[in-house]
Amino acid sequence: MQKKLFTRAVLAGMIIAMAAYAQEHKETILYSGNTSGSIESSSWTFPEQPEWSANWGNFENMVPPYVRISGQKNSTGDWTGALSFASMPVDFQNGTLSLKVRATQNVKFGVWATGSFGTSKIHYENLTANSTKSISFPLAESGNSSGKLEKIWIGLFNVKAYQYTTLFVDDVKLSYSTPQNVSLVENIGDYTFNQVDPSSPIRESLWGSSPLPPTSPNYDTQKRVQLKAASTTNYLISETEYIQITNILQNDSISPKKSRENWYRVLFLVDRNRLKDSVTANPKQLYLDASSMAASYDMQKIPLLVADLDYNYKLCKDSLCKNTEIKQSHLLFAGLSSSYTHSSKVRFVYDPFFVVTSQKTIPQMELCYNGSCKSVIAGSEAELEFSMAGIHKITVKLHSGSFSTQQTLSLEVK
C-alpha cells in the first residue's frame, strides 16, 4: 500500500509535459525579520503565541529581528504548530527549505512542510542550548518534489515540565525551480481503497512519514475521571463550543476554503474535549492525509471526509455558567479534501479510511448537484461534471441510524 501511494505522490509532483525544457531557479525569502506571519491556531500547542519581530540581541549568525516563541508547561510533552508568512503559498519544483533555529535549552527540534503536495518528512535536529543552527533539507526526500507550499510546521519534542524554553527562528527560505512552458498530462489511474475498520483508532501511515501527534487534550487525567461519570459519551464540550459547531453546521453559504477547513475545525473542537485517548482515528492526520491524496490525483479524485460521533455538551443554567446540565448531541458531518480542481469532471471518493466514527456502520451518502442526486456507498466513487469554471455548490446528504443531515459544500473549478 505505501509503495503505491509513494508512487502516486511522486506522479502528482511530476505530471508535466514533454515541453518542459527550461527551468528558472528561484529563492523566496519567507521570513527575514520584518516579514508578517501567522499561526494555525487550531493546531498550536506551544505555550505562548509567537513574537514576530523580537530583538534579544545578536546570536552568532542570527541577528534581530527574529521570531521568538517561549513558555513552559506543567507536564513533559511536545510543542508543535504551523507557521505561514505573507509570501506563502509558494509554487515550487524540487524545493529545498532552509532556516536558522536556536533554543535556550537542549531540546529535540523538528520541522516539516504541508501543502498541495501533502506532508513532507519531519526533519529532526538536536539543538544545543544557546547555539544557533542552520538547517536545510529537500522537500523531495519524502517524494514531494513539487506543489504549493502552504504551511511550515515546527516542533520541540519531549520538552521537560516546568522548564522555561525559548525558541528563535530566522532566515526562512525556499529555494526551488519553476518549470517553464509546461502543461499537465492526464495520468490519474484508479483509486486504491484502503481496507480499514473506520471505528478503529488505528490507521496505517499512507505516506511513510511519522504520524502527527494528537490534539492536546482539554482535560487532565483527574478531570477526565470526574467528567466521565457524568457523561454518556467519550466527548464533553462547552456550550460555547457547541454553539460554534452549530453555527458551522447550519451555514450553507460557505466558501470553497471553508468547505475544506470546516471539517477539521469542528472535529478539533470535539476531539480536544475527549475523556479518554485513542477513541477514534486522529482527525488531524486524516485531514492532512486526505488533502495529500487529492493532490496525488491532481484534484481529479477528491476524497470525502466524514464524521459520525455521539458527544455531550454542557448547557449553562445561569449567567456565570456555574450550574450546568449535560445534554446529548450527535455530529454527522462531511467535508471536502480540496477547495479547487482544474478538471471539469471530478470523482468524489468515499473511502472508509477518511471516516471518523464510533458507530458500527458507515453513514449512507448522497451527492446532489444541479438538481440531480447520486448515491455513494462506502468504497466507491461518484463523478460530477461541471459545465464551466467558477464556484459550484454541492449538497451532501448523510444518513446514520436515526440521524440525517444535509449540508452544502463549495468547490472552485479553475
Side-chain angles (χ1 to χ4, degrees), residues 174-188:
L174 178 68
S175 303
Y176 57 101
S177 57
T178 56
Q180 303 298 302
N181 301 319
V182 301
S183 60
L184 293 180
V185 173
E186 290 287 337
N187 190 12
I188 300 304

Side-chain angles (χ1 to χ4, degrees), residues 30-35 39 44 46 50-57 59 61-70 79 81-85 97-104 109-111 127 131-135 152-156 166-173:
L30 305 176
Y31 178 84
S32 61
N34 56 357
T35 311
I39 62 170
W44 191 256
F46 280 83
E51 182 182 354
W52 297 105
S53 298
N55 185 350
W56 280 34
F59 297 135
N61 60 342
M62 182 185 289
V63 296
Y66 30 64
V67 180
R68 171 181 172 266
I69 313 169
S70 301
W79 305 354
L83 304 176
S84 61
F85 302 104
L97 188 66
S98 61
L99 68 162
K100 296 175 183 175
V101 292
R102 181 185 181 95
T104 56
F109 171 79
V111 57
L127 302 184
S131 178
T132 302
K133 192 159 195 174
S134 296
I135 298 172
I152 297 173
W153 291 73
I154 58 173
L156 296 179
T166 297
L167 176 70
F168 300 96
V169 180
D170 198 11
D171 294 334
V172 185
K173 301 176 183 178

Side-chain angles (χ1 to χ4, degrees), residues 62-324:
M62 182 185 289
V63 296
Y66 30 64
V67 180
R68 171 181 172 266
I69 313 169
S70 301
Q72 68 178 13
K73 292 188 177 183
N74 59 6
S75 60
T76 298
D78 301 337
W79 305 354
T80 60
L83 304 176
S84 61
F85 302 104
S87 57
M88 297 164 66
V90 179
D91 289 302
F92 72 93
Q93 183 180 3
N94 302 321
T96 297
L97 188 66
S98 61
L99 68 162
K100 296 175 183 175
V101 292
R102 181 185 181 95
T104 56
Q105 306 287 346
N106 293 336
V107 68
K108 185 177 182 180
F109 171 79
V111 57
W112 64 104
T114 58
S116 65
F117 56 87
T119 302
S120 76
K121 181 180 179 181
I122 302 178
H123 185 89
Y124 292 104
E125 294 281 353
N126 291 318
L127 302 184
T128 302
N130 301 316
S131 178
T132 302
K133 192 159 195 174
S134 296
I135 298 172
S136 180
F137 68 100
L139 298 181
E141 68 182 19
S142 303
N144 304 317
S145 61
S146 67
K148 188 185 294 290
L149 174 65
E150 296 175 355
K151 303 286 183 182
I152 297 173
W153 291 73
I154 58 173
L156 296 179
F157 299 92
N158 200 33
V159 184
K160 295 179 181 178
Y162 304 107
Q163 174 179 277
Y164 193 88
T165 302
T166 297
L167 176 70
F168 300 96
V169 180
D170 198 11
D171 294 334
V172 185
K173 301 176 183 178
L174 178 68
S175 303
Y176 57 101
S177 57
T178 56
Q180 303 298 302
N181 301 319
V182 301
S183 60
L184 293 180
V185 173
E186 290 287 337
N187 190 12
I188 300 304
D190 294 329
Y191 184 93
T192 302
F193 286 89
N194 298 276
Q195 301 301 315
V196 65
D197 175 4
S199 65
S200 170
I202 300 173
R203 292 289 192 275
E204 177 189 0
S205 175
L206 289 184
W207 309 100
S209 57
S210 300
L212 292 180
T215 302
S216 297
N218 197 27
Y219 306 117
D220 59 29
T221 302
Q222 183 177 357
K223 190 67 173 179
R224 286 183 177 193
V225 173
Q226 175 187 347
L227 294 174
K228 185 62 177 164
S231 177
T232 59
T233 73
N234 288 313
Y235 305 96
L236 180 60
I237 71 175
S238 68
E239 183 177 3
T240 300
E241 291 167 320
Y242 172 74
I243 293 173
Q244 291 181 54
I245 291 175
T246 300
N247 289 338
I248 291 174
L249 299 184
Q250 292 179 349
N251 184 6
D252 281 342
S253 300
I254 61 174
S255 66
K257 185 172 183 288
K258 294 297 185 185
S259 293
R260 177 177 178 265
E261 294 177 346
N262 277 350
W263 187 86
Y264 179 65
R265 290 176 61 198
V266 170
L267 266 293
F268 169 77
L269 293 174
V270 175
D271 184 54
R272 74 171 179 176
N273 289 289
R274 59 189 181 273
L275 300 180
K276 66 177 185 178
D277 289 329
S278 299
V279 179
T280 61
N282 184 353
K284 182 194 305 184
Q285 186 70 61
L286 297 189
Y287 175 71
L288 293 176
D289 280 349
S291 297
S292 299
M293 187 67 78
S296 76
Y297 286 94
D298 197 35
M299 313 306 178
Q300 293 185 44
K301 291 178 183 283
I302 298 179
L304 295 153
L305 291 151
V306 175
D308 186 16
L309 296 171
D310 290 316
Y311 71 95
N312 289 157
Y313 67 94
K314 292 176 282 189
L315 179 65
C316 297
K317 304 193 72 174
D318 56 63
S319 59
L320 298 178
C321 208
K322 291 185 176 181
N323 297 309
T324 60

